[in-house]
Amino acid sequence: MEKIGMEMVVDEIFSRLPAKAVDRFKILSKYFRKELSTHNFELKYSRRAGNSLKKKLLSLKYESIVVDDVVGGNLELDTSKTITFPYNIHPSYLRIISSFNGLLLVCNERILCELMLWNPTTGRFKLISDDYFNHRFDRNSDTGGMYFDQFDDLKVLHIKCCRNVGTARVYSRRLDSWRKIDFLNGSKLASSSYSWSPATYSGKTIYFMVSNYWFPPGERNIVTFDVISESFSVLSFPERMEVNPCQGHFLSISNKLHVIVVGRADELKADLYKLEHDDWVKVFSFDNPHILDYHARMQRTNIIQDKKWLITSIWGDFVEVDLCNEAFNYLQHVDNYNGPKGALFIETIVSPFET
């Protein structure tokens, strides 16, 4: 051990252990607790976990919270286990807003807009709402995301659009406080006519799909948030991807931004695009896209199973597609995806608290 050095043990051995094993090592000594709780170790551990084909799918059922293994993009049916939220909230009141580096940003819809950071692997959670959150959570006009800034401080972005006014605030884990930042001043996107998607993080940028329900019908915009400058910008939805009516859903695959575009021309279509050098490149078309009926929707909680992929949209339709071998092999590298009734996450030791 002296020849190897404790720094090598921590960086190259402990960073490969299961998250729960690392947590147990923290109680062995003050040295391990200190070394295994640093920002550098958190980031190194998260990067290794993120590169693995093994993910976790957390599903919010009406009476329970279920976690399944997703290996190589496929749900392992024999791995299901029920977990409890470490706060006295019925699962039916919980809504997952964002998933990032093993943490979930969760809203308790029963008590106005009560936001919490939760690591479902370690069970640690933290209430982060302040007096500003005195309104009900609206899934179409409340959204948010998480990121690390250039100083490795975990930040939470929250956006609220109410009565044609948009407000953006950022929470700092290090300072345990919120502050207001400049939003899209004068933008029509704060109107109640628009619906905001959950956040998707990719390449130091957070992406939102913002769609208009009313006039002009089907209008879509891409709102970006630069996590370094903490500034917003608006991009038009690429015209060549437009099929009216259509809907878009962001996801990250192999650390690159992708979007699933579902549209109905003569028949329902679903295509996958990838952002390459500021241009959208079509990857492939999905086989047999179809809308699930109500009964099928209630039965499904998984994202991928038996080479079928379940996608959702801000319009509320649940669309299922068949996956050929090419599509299945490509999608097994999904990093982040908020799916129906749940979200993918990776097992990490990232804490909701500053360490």
Side-chain angles (χ1 to χ4, degrees):
M1 291 293 289
E2 291 180 358
K3 291 181 180 180
I4 295 175
M6 287 307 299
E7 184 177 347
M8 178 70 73
V9 171
V10 170
D11 289 347
E12 300 300 331
I13 297 179
F14 283 1
S15 64
R16 290 177 166 85
L17 294 178
K20 291 183 179 179
V22 174
D23 243 22
R24 289 195 291 268
F25 270 104
K26 286 183 179 181
I27 65 175
L28 289 182
S29 70
K30 291 182 179 179
Y31 175 83
F32 281 141
R33 182 172 184 82
K34 177 183 176 182
E35 293 298 319
L36 300 179
S37 300
T38 64
H39 290 302
N40 286 338
F41 183 76
E42 273 191 353
L43 293 174
K44 182 184 287 289
Y45 191 96
S46 298
R47 281 195 294 268
R48 289 197 188 279
N51 291 331
S52 171
L53 291 181
K54 184 176 181 179
K55 305 289 192 298
K56 295 287 185 177
L57 173 62
L58 185 140
S59 301
L60 297 174
K61 299 186 178 182
Y62 182 74
E63 293 288 347
S64 62
I65 304 174
V66 176
V67 174
D68 296 286
D69 288 348
V70 178
V71 181
N74 200 37
L75 191 77
E76 301 288 307
L77 294 176
D78 58 347
T79 63
S80 292
K81 64 177 181 179
T82 300
I83 65 173
T84 57
F85 191 74
Y87 190 52
N88 190 24
I89 304 173
H90 194 277
S92 62
Y93 292 116
L94 294 176
R95 175 161 295 275
I96 299 173
I97 301 176
S98 179
S99 172
F100 179 74
N101 274 31
L103 287 179
L104 298 180
L105 177 60
V106 183
C107 177
N108 174 15
E109 295 183 308
R110 185 177 186 181
I111 305 178
L112 298 178
C113 185
E114 187 177 56
L115 293 184
M116 294 161 282
L117 288 175
W118 177 35
N119 185 324
T121 302
T122 64
R124 295 189 180 94
F125 82 102
K126 181 181 183 181
L127 297 174
I128 62 172
S129 299
D130 60 8
D131 292 340
Y132 166 81
F133 294 94
N134 60 355
H135 59 270
R136 291 283 178 187
F137 179 85
D138 187 325
R139 66 190 64 182
N140 291 322
S141 57
D142 273 89
T143 189
M146 295 178 281
Y147 61 96
F148 283 110
D149 67 10
Q150 64 268 44
F151 305 108
D152 293 335
D153 183 14
L154 179 71
K155 299 288 188 67
V156 176
L157 169 68
H158 177 261
I159 297 172
K160 174 66 179 178
C161 297
C162 181
R163 298 176 182 175
N164 299 327
V165 176
T167 304
R169 301 173 84 228
V170 170
Y171 171 83
S172 164
R173 182 180 67 172
R174 187 167 296 163
L175 300 177
D176 189 24
S177 63
W178 288 88
R179 60 185 172 84
K180 187 177 178 180
I181 62 173
D182 290 336
F183 191 52
L184 301 168
N185 295 328
S187 171
K188 61 183 179 180
L189 301 183
S191 164
S192 58
S193 299
Y194 289 84
S195 175
W196 287 68
S197 75
T200 299
Y201 179 91
S202 179
K204 302 296 183 182
T205 303
I206 296 177
Y207 294 84
F208 301 93
M209 187 75 69
V210 187
S211 301
N212 192 330
Y213 283 121
W214 306 107
F215 183 83
E219 176 200 346
R220 287 156 300 278
N221 298 274
I222 298 172
V223 174
T224 67
F225 177 75
D226 186 300
V227 303
I228 304 300
S229 64
E230 294 188 337
S231 60
F232 292 90
S233 60
V234 181
L235 307 176
S236 297
F237 199 74
E239 291 184 5
R240 59 190 179 83
M241 292 166 55
E242 298 254 9
V243 178
N244 280 314
C246 85
Q247 52 206 354
H249 195 103
F250 286 127
L251 66 161
S252 174
I253 303 176
S254 298
N255 297 314
K256 290 190 176 182
L257 184 69
H258 290 65
V259 63
I260 299 172
V261 179
V262 180
R264 185 185 294 278
D266 296 331
E267 58 184 13
L268 193 65
K269 295 179 59 179
D271 299 320
L272 180 69
Y273 289 84
K274 174 174 62 174
L275 185 61
E276 283 277 17
H277 308 297
D278 298 324
D279 190 23
W280 290 100
V281 179
K282 184 175 178 179
V283 181
F284 53 74
S285 296
F286 290 99
D287 294 337
N288 187 32
H290 55 277
I291 295 175
L292 296 183
D293 59 28
Y294 178 79
H295 178 73
R297 287 172 56 173
M298 297 304 294
Q299 295 298 316
R300 289 287 295 271
T301 58
N302 55 296
I303 293 175
I304 295 181
Q305 182 180 349
D306 299 327
K307 292 198 173 184
K308 293 182 181 294
W309 173 275
L310 184 63
I311 55 180
T312 188
S313 76
I314 51 179
W315 285 5
D317 286 333
F318 284 23
V319 179
E320 185 181 70
V321 295
D322 296 339
L323 299 179
C324 63
N325 288 335
E326 175 193 5
F328 184 80
N329 290 334
Y330 192 89
L331 290 169
Q332 67 179 319
H333 298 283
V334 169
D335 309 306
N336 193 295
Y337 186 83
N338 279 15
K341 302 182 182 179
L344 284 176
F345 71 95
I346 55 175
E347 288 192 316
T348 71
I349 58 169
V350 177
S351 174
F353 298 89
E354 178 69 8
T355 55

